[in-house]
């Protein structure tokens, strides 16, 4: 299987427009921070899949100047965008990652890729609190899906439905139709609902930057355990995260 990482990215966020090109750590943007982590995984192709909307022209130019692979497809039919991005880059196994997750654990992505190479599963994801990690606001892990499984969804689910926006939603909600395998998230994260490090708002960005900067100052190669320990020692940040979690559930 030819496995590639496909990052879902666009400039048109409604709550924080252009967030992925906002400065994040040092001289790097939010997206660069993510890409720098993922490039630590050797031998894996990385594609940034954005849309044909003209507000992504700047994003495409930025990425091409960095030497990154870019694919542009449908704005609203994200499922179709992923299928065509994989086909255009000769990828039949996809690790799907969202671009607003600077704390993405590249070790976890590497584990996901290794497990996929040894499996015939349609879908592999991390599982935490008895649900797929993609449904949390942690922002720590990606998910694996085969191109064949995505094509099966596209052939059976009507365009315009949530399944075409949330690429893997149909698959893990139909375990009788698709073979799903799970990696159990670390015990120290089980039961936690007070961590929000995916970035949707300015408050999310402020919190994430503070955590990331201070952890980097302590250890260039900080771990997820370090993230949890830091948050447990900084109650004010956790309280801000809980406020944002509550607001985003409204």
């Amino acid at each position: 299987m030819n496995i590639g990482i496909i990052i879902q990215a666009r400039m048109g966020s409604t709550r924080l427009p252009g967030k992925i090109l906002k400065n994040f750590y040092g001289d790097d943007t939010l997206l660069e921070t993510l890409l720098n982590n993922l490039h630590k995984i050797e031998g894996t192709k990385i594609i940034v899949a954005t849309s044909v909307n003209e507000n992504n022209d700047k994003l495409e130019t930025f990425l091409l100047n960095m030497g990154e692979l870019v694919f542009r497809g449908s704005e609203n039919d994200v499922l179709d965008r992923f299928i065509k991005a994989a086909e255009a880059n000769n990828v039949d196994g996809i690790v799907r990652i969202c671009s607003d997750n600077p704390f993405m654990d590249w070790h976890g992505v590497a584990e996901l890729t290794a497990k996929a190479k040894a499996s015939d599963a349609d879908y592999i994801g991390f599982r935490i609190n008895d649900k797929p990690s993609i449904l949390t606001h942690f922002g720590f892990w990606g998910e694996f899906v085969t191109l064949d499984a995505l094509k099966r969804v596209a052939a059976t689910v009507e365009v315009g439905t949530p399944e075409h926006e949330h690429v893997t939603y149909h698959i893990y909600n139909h375990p009788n139709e698709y073979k799903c395998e799970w990696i159990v998230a670390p015990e120290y994260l089980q039961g936690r609902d007070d961590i929000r490090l995916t970035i949707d708002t300015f408050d999310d960005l402020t919190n994430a930057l503070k955590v990331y900067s201070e952890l980097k100052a302590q250890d260039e190669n900080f771990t997820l355990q370090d993230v949890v320990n830091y948050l447990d020692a900084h109650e004010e940040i956790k309280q801000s995260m809980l406020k944002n979690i509550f607001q985003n559930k409204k």
Side-chain angles (χ1 to χ4, degrees), residues 137-192:
H137 29 253
F138 289 15
F140 291 156
W141 302 289
E143 54 183 353
F144 169 83
V145 64
T146 65
L147 175 59
D148 177 70
L150 294 186
K151 287 182 173 180
R152 286 162 57 195
V153 175
T156 57
V157 179
E158 185 178 352
V159 175
T161 57
E163 288 86 349
H164 279 259
E165 179 185 359
H166 305 288
V167 177
T168 57
Y169 179 83
H170 183 80
I171 295 171
Y172 56 71
N173 277 302
H174 291 81
N176 293 331
E177 299 175 26
Y178 299 87
K179 182 177 180 181
C180 299
E181 294 182 356
W182 301 99
I183 300 171
V184 179
E187 183 62 33
Y188 59 82
L189 281 166
Q190 298 291 344
R192 303 292 298 244

Side-chain angles (χ1 to χ4, degrees), residues 17-246:
K19 62 183 176 182
I20 56 176
L21 291 190
K22 289 187 180 298
N23 189 66
F24 186 69
Y25 177 73
D27 295 325
D28 291 337
T29 62
L30 178 62
L31 182 56
E32 284 176 285
T33 302
L34 172 64
L35 284 164
N36 290 341
N37 268 333
L38 295 177
H39 278 303
K40 294 175 183 176
I41 305 170
E42 296 183 359
T44 303
K45 182 182 293 185
I46 300 175
I47 305 116
V48 180
T50 190
S51 86
V52 293
N53 192 309
E54 64 181 12
N55 65 4
N56 292 309
D57 292 351
K58 178 182 177 181
L59 173 61
E60 180 181 27
T61 299
F62 178 83
L63 289 165
L64 292 176
N65 286 338
M66 288 176 59
E68 301 290 345
L69 293 173
V70 183
F71 177 85
R72 297 183 72 168
S74 174
E75 169 79 8
N76 298 315
D77 192 344
V78 187
L79 175 62
D80 183 71
R81 192 197 311 168
F82 265 77
I83 290 171
K84 289 180 177 174
E87 290 176 334
N89 288 279
N90 192 33
V91 166
D92 51 14
I94 300 160
V95 176
R96 175 178 173 260
I97 287 175
C98 295
S99 58
D100 52 7
N101 292 327
F103 286 84
M104 181 64 56
D105 178 30
W106 71 267
H107 298 93
V109 177
E111 181 182 1
L112 194 61
T113 302
K115 185 173 178 64
K117 288 179 178 178
S119 173
D120 63 350
D122 296 306
Y123 177 91
I124 306 173
F126 283 82
R127 196 163 185 86
I128 184 164
N129 301 336
D130 201 33
K131 64 182 178 181
S133 67
I134 194 67
L135 298 179
T136 73
H137 29 253
F138 289 15
F140 291 156
W141 302 289
E143 54 183 353
F144 169 83
V145 64
T146 65
L147 175 59
D148 177 70
L150 294 186
K151 287 182 173 180
R152 286 162 57 195
V153 175
T156 57
V157 179
E158 185 178 352
V159 175
T161 57
E163 288 86 349
H164 279 259
E165 179 185 359
H166 305 288
V167 177
T168 57
Y169 179 83
H170 183 80
I171 295 171
Y172 56 71
N173 277 302
H174 291 81
N176 293 331
E177 299 175 26
Y178 299 87
K179 182 177 180 181
C180 299
E181 294 182 356
W182 301 99
I183 300 171
V184 179
E187 183 62 33
Y188 59 82
L189 281 166
Q190 298 291 344
R192 303 292 298 244
D193 60 358
D194 56 353
I195 297 174
R196 179 181 175 84
L197 286 168
T198 190
I199 295 174
D200 288 317
T201 67
F202 183 76
D203 283 347
D204 291 336
L205 183 65
T206 301
N207 285 332
L209 178 56
K210 180 175 177 59
V211 176
Y212 197 94
S213 299
E214 294 196 10
L215 284 172
K216 276 286 188 181
Q218 296 171 17
D219 185 348
E220 181 69 22
N221 299 307
F222 68 83
T223 66
L224 293 186
Q225 179 75 75
D226 294 327
V227 174
V228 172
N229 291 345
Y230 177 91
L231 291 174
D232 285 342
H234 293 79
E235 187 63 28
E236 74 284 1
I237 297 181
K238 281 203 300 181
Q239 289 303 315
S240 178
M241 288 180 176
L242 283 169
K243 180 186 73 174
N244 291 335
I245 290 167
F246 176 75

